[in-house]
């Protein structure tokens, strides 16, 4: 609901954004330099934005240390000290987003007594945001707890919009414009087309790489946690727990995608892949339950109490992993009873699930200019960083700022100089959001690239 008519002249509202860290981060650190920098830069999409507030991760939990199982592991009597690096990142970058990463890395090294944990902190901090982005039940802290919950069985991770399930208001990606669900990516594969949005295969690969990077960094640091300070011990333990959470998420995402392909095509190898990936995910959750033994069970009343966990601990959810096997068996029975009409050839599932798409030609420029006649039409022009192959097709995606409107597509044509352009008809007189979808024989992409920047260009009212 940010994009209502609040920015419209003659009297636009003054915006102060609330960044809800407490809606996604409840117990693990979030100290990503790159994510904080990108978020701060994205908030300045209009001169009417005056600033932001940061809701702390401990906003809905006790202010004193409530989670360490043993007193000797407490590095402060206060919960907020855990998040001091997050506050420094957002505070400093909020004033100067060009502040280099080295500034914060030096502060972390001073506090920890070592620089060796910075790579682990950065990789671990990438995991929970991707869970919320790719697989969520809603934006509110009462809708989903990405650090804490299983997120449903593997069939629910498919994100089939025709099959809602209890305690999940929005079953699928948080950002449905930029990110495809397993259901959507599987439908693309079965129907023989590339997925232009960020696919679950892409996301799974990134998060599994994050988990591997955590392990590599911690192994290289070779810290003796028994002799380490409580703060260092906490960061090491937490990073390992987040790596396990990342492996649960990555493999569950692959399992759900394979299951969706099997449901659409009935090819047995894809069911085998779904079982293998889901089994790996469940094993990772069991590892997570063990890795978080240093955290005592604690009350979490926004999300986990309604799900039946009081007090909450990851180990309490281990019995619920049995639902994955039952869900796989149920889908297999459905397909056996009513095989889908499919006769094409699919790639090897292990190879496909483990191979995120390659880079596209990259976007060099995207501009949107309103028509001078007051009709609300826009001329949108784009240039790519590399020549496009024969058969390439480009669509301009555009919407107004109002949340109720959705993106519409208009085909673009290429000029002699290589520029692609399209005229977007009226209804965008008060500003809009613009993006591109590129399809070539080698693959499909959306630009601006959501992995590096906001997934659209905004022209504020």
């Amino acid at each position: 609901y940010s994009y209502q008519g609040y920015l419209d002249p003659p009297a636009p509202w003054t915006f102060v954004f609330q960044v809800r860290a407490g809606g996604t981060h409840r117990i693990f650190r979030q100290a990503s330099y790159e994510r904080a920098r990108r978020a701060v830069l994205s908030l300045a999409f209009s001169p009417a934005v005056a600033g932001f507030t940061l809701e702390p991760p401990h906003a809905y939990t006790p202010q004193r240390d409530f989670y360490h199982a043993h007193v000797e592991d407490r590095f402060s009597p206060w919960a907020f000290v855990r998040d001091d690096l997050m506050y420094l990142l957002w505070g400093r970058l909020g004033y100067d987003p060009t502040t280099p990463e080295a500034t914060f890395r030096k502060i972390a090294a001073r506090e920890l007594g070592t620089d060796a944990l910075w790579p682990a902190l950065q990789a671990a901090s990438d995991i929970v945001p991707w869970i919320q982005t790719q697989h969520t039940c809603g934006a509110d802290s009462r809708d989903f707890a990405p650090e804490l919950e299983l997120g449903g069985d593997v069939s629910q991770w498919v994100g089939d919009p025709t099959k809602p399930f209890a305690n999940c208001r929005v079953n699928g990606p948080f950002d449905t414009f930029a990110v495809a669900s397993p259901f959507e990516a599987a439908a693309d594969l079965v129907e023989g087309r590339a997925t232009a949005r960020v696919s679950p295969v892409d996301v799974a690969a990134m998060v599994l790489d994050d988990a591997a990077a955590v392990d590599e960094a911690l192994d290289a640091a070779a810290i003796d946690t028994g002799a380490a300070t409580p703060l260092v011990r906490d960061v090491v333990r937490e990073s390992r727990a987040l790596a396990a959470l990342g492996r649960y998420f990555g493999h569950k995402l692959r399992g759900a995608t394979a299951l969706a392909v099997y449901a659409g095509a009935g090819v047995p190898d894809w069911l085998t892949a779904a079982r293998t990936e889901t089994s790996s995910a469940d094993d990772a959750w069991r590892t997570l339950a063990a890795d978080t033994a240093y955290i005592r069970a604690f009350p979490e009343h926004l999300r986990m109490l309604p799900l039946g966990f009081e007090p909450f601990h990851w180990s309490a959810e281990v019995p619920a992993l049995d639902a994955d096997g039952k869900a796989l068996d149920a889908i297999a029975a459905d397909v056996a009873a009513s095989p889908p009409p499919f006769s094409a050839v699919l790639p090897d599932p292990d190879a496909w699930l483990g191979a995120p798409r390659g880079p596209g030609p990259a976007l060099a420029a995207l501009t949107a200019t309103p028509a001078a006649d007051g009709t609300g039409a826009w001329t949108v022009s784009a240039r790519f960083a590399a020549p496009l192959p024969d058969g390439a097709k480009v669509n301009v995606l555009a919407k107004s700022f109002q949340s109720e409107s959705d993106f519409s597509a208009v085909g673009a044509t290429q000029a002699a100089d290589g520029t692609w352009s399209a005229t977007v008809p009226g209804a965008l007189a008060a500003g809009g959001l613009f993006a591109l979808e590129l399809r070539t024989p080698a693959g499909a992409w959306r630009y601006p690239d959501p992995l590096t920047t906001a997934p659209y260009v905004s022209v504020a009212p």
Side-chain angles (χ1 to χ4, degrees):
Y1 37 70
S2 298
Y3 301 145
Q4 298 292 340
Y6 304 135
L7 293 174
D8 293 349
W13 292 37
T14 297
F15 266 70
V16 177
F17 278 106
Q18 181 192 38
V19 179
R20 297 199 61 206
T24 51
H25 296 84
R26 314 189 190 200
I27 197 71
F28 294 137
R29 287 172 178 81
Q30 168 53 222
S32 170
Y33 168 80
E34 184 58 26
R35 282 185 173 273
R37 187 188 68 83
R38 280 187 59 185
V40 166
L41 287 171
S42 74
L43 297 178
F45 69 85
S46 165
V49 177
F52 68 91
T53 63
L54 180 68
E55 176 190 86
H58 64 277
Y60 307 114
T61 52
Q63 300 306 296
R64 292 185 179 272
D65 185 327
F66 61 93
Y67 60 95
H68 284 107
H70 304 289
V71 66
E72 60 268 22
D73 288 332
R74 296 178 179 173
F75 48 85
S76 171
W78 302 103
F80 73 84
V81 175
R82 175 194 63 206
D83 305 309
D84 58 355
L85 186 55
M86 180 189 206
Y87 304 142
L88 286 167
L89 282 163
W90 282 81
R92 181 74 176 266
L93 292 169
Y95 286 101
D96 181 10
T98 67
T99 305
E101 182 178 355
T103 298
F104 305 100
R105 183 167 183 164
K106 183 177 180 180
I107 293 171
R110 182 191 68 203
E111 296 299 313
L112 293 167
T114 176
D115 181 59
L117 292 178
W118 182 259
L121 268 171
Q122 296 309 293
S125 293
D126 197 46
I127 290 169
V128 171
W130 269 123
I131 298 175
Q132 178 73 8
T133 300
Q134 173 70 66
H135 177 75
T136 187
C137 286
D140 193 84
S141 50
R142 294 163 293 184
D143 294 331
F144 194 63
E147 292 179 301
L148 310 181
E149 66 178 279
L150 294 173
D153 65 51
V154 66
S155 69
Q156 294 164 344
W157 276 59
V158 167
D160 184 345
T162 68
K163 298 178 180 178
F165 63 97
N167 299 310
C168 195
R169 186 168 58 85
V170 179
N171 177 20
F174 184 89
D175 184 351
T176 56
F177 175 73
V179 181
S181 70
F183 180 83
E184 293 163 329
D188 284 342
L189 179 64
V190 170
E191 295 174 20
R193 61 175 178 261
T195 299
R197 287 174 287 175
V198 178
S199 82
V201 172
D202 300 329
V203 176
M206 288 185 287
V207 174
L208 290 171
D209 284 348
D210 285 332
V214 170
D215 288 346
E216 181 181 353
L218 294 181
D219 290 347
I223 291 173
D224 178 1
T225 54
T229 65
L231 180 58
V232 168
R233 184 162 59 245
D234 200 67
V235 170
V236 171
R237 285 172 168 173
E238 182 182 289
S239 297
R240 289 214 183 273
L242 278 164
L245 179 65
R247 289 190 174 92
Y248 167 77
F249 169 73
H251 288 296
K252 190 79 166 261
L253 198 54
R254 285 180 176 176
T257 306
L259 183 60
V261 174
Y262 172 70
V267 178
D269 286 352
W270 286 85
L271 177 61
T272 300
R275 292 190 186 278
T276 299
E277 292 289 347
T278 304
S279 177
S280 296
D282 292 347
D283 287 345
W285 190 274
R286 295 183 183 96
T287 299
L288 172 63
D291 286 345
T292 51
Y294 73 98
I295 299 176
R296 70 179 182 90
F298 60 92
E300 206 296 314
H301 289 175
L302 287 171
R303 177 66 177 169
M304 302 314 293
L305 175 60
L307 292 181
F309 299 98
E310 173 63 14
F312 164 79
H313 194 271
W314 296 265
S315 57
E317 295 179 279
V318 169
L321 296 172
D322 292 343
D324 281 335
K326 295 175 182 177
L328 288 161
D329 291 343
I331 297 295
D334 289 345
V335 171
S338 181
F342 181 81
S343 58
V345 177
L346 292 176
D348 175 77
D350 294 334
W352 188 83
L353 291 167
R357 63 181 168 181
L363 182 67
L366 175 61
T367 59
T369 306
D373 57 10
T375 60
W378 292 76
T379 298
V380 181
S381 300
R383 289 187 296 104
F384 292 92
L388 301 186
D390 292 341
K393 294 182 179 180
V394 177
N395 279 330
V396 170
L397 309 176
K399 74 179 291 294
S400 71
F401 264 83
Q402 278 65 31
S403 295
E404 291 81 3
S405 68
D406 202 353
F407 281 89
S408 59
V410 179
T413 57
Q414 187 177 22
D417 64 356
T419 300
W420 292 79
S421 62
T423 299
V424 178
L428 297 181
L433 310 177
F434 302 90
L436 302 175
E437 182 168 284
L438 167 65
R439 292 191 173 275
T440 76
W445 300 266
R446 283 195 175 179
Y447 291 108
D449 184 355
L451 299 182
T452 59
T453 188
Y456 44 72
V457 169
S458 63
V459 180

